[in-house]
Amino acid sequence: MRTLIVVDGLDGCGKDTHARRIADLLAARGTRVVVVSHPSTRRFGRLSKRALQASGPCARLVATIFYTADVLVSVMRLSRERDGTVIFVRYLLGTAYLPPTLAPLGYALFRRLLPFPDLPLFIDIEPEVALRRIEARDSTREMFETKEQLERVREVAVDLTSSDGWVRVDNSEDGERPFREVERVLASRGLL
């Protein structure tokens, strides 16, 4: 049987780090694990990433279209997986980046279209902390990686994850505490 785990949240919240650590834990116990992060390195993912590094409404629309296509391709490819665990980094909460009036509609649409995860993790973070972590990276900034955008997206994401069984993990502090909380959640769900 296949298990689907989603690790979602703001830019700079630690999604990829948490996904890798979850994958390592599960693999050490003999579970077959596939991790897919979005935007991916496939064509749609690269086009989305390029648009995210630009600015303006046209770039935002292009980023949204290619990001959506990237996620849908991943879902179709991984729908053949029948056993093990699939970990998606960025999945449903990409809709939080839509304009605030469209975000709930986008979430509801994709919530109906896409398989809902067995474990939906929302890695929450204070926008100031996320921005500090983003600034410490050696990479080109993206259009949503400003304090104002992170605050707006976080507000929408918190609202979107208030139902559907999302598990919120606060990753605003450095150290092991947030990941220990993830480990407890995995154990309580029988995944460890």
Side-chain angles (χ1 to χ4, degrees), residues 54-172:
S55 62
C58 185
R60 184 178 182 159
L61 177 62
V62 169
T64 300
I65 290 168
F66 286 122
Y67 170 81
T68 302
D70 191 34
V71 171
L72 292 175
V73 167
S74 293
V75 169
M76 288 186 295
R77 285 184 174 183
L78 293 169
S79 66
R80 296 180 290 250
E81 298 290 329
R82 297 290 175 229
D83 62 343
T85 298
V86 175
I87 302 173
F88 268 79
V89 178
R90 286 198 192 271
Y91 191 64
L92 290 169
L93 290 187
T95 57
Y97 289 83
L98 293 170
T101 55
L102 295 178
L105 299 172
Y107 179 86
L109 173 68
F110 287 107
R111 172 68 176 86
R112 286 184 183 90
L113 288 176
L114 301 176
F116 195 72
D118 300 291
L119 176 56
L121 288 172
F122 171 47
I123 308 300
D124 195 10
I125 193 166
E126 293 295 326
E128 297 80 14
V129 177
L131 190 58
R132 187 178 70 240
R133 291 178 185 173
I134 290 165
E135 289 171 345
R137 295 179 189 161
D138 186 25
S139 62
T140 304
R141 295 273 290 270
E142 296 177 3
M143 69 175 70
F144 295 107
E145 294 178 341
T146 66
K147 185 173 186 274
E148 296 76 25
Q149 287 292 339
L150 291 167
E151 287 172 346
R152 185 194 64 74
V153 171
R154 180 176 184 254
E155 184 178 323
V156 173
V158 166
D159 192 47
L160 294 175
T161 58
S162 65
S163 62
D164 286 339
W166 284 87
V167 176
R168 179 185 172 271
V169 175
D170 186 351
N171 196 35
S172 294

Side-chain angles (χ1 to χ4, degrees), residues 37-41 44-46 48-49 52 67 70 89-90 142:
S37 187
H38 298 101
S40 73
T41 56
F44 290 143
R46 290 190 317 269
S48 176
K49 184 80 168 167
L52 285 167
Y67 170 81
D70 191 34
V89 178
R90 286 198 192 271
E142 296 177 3

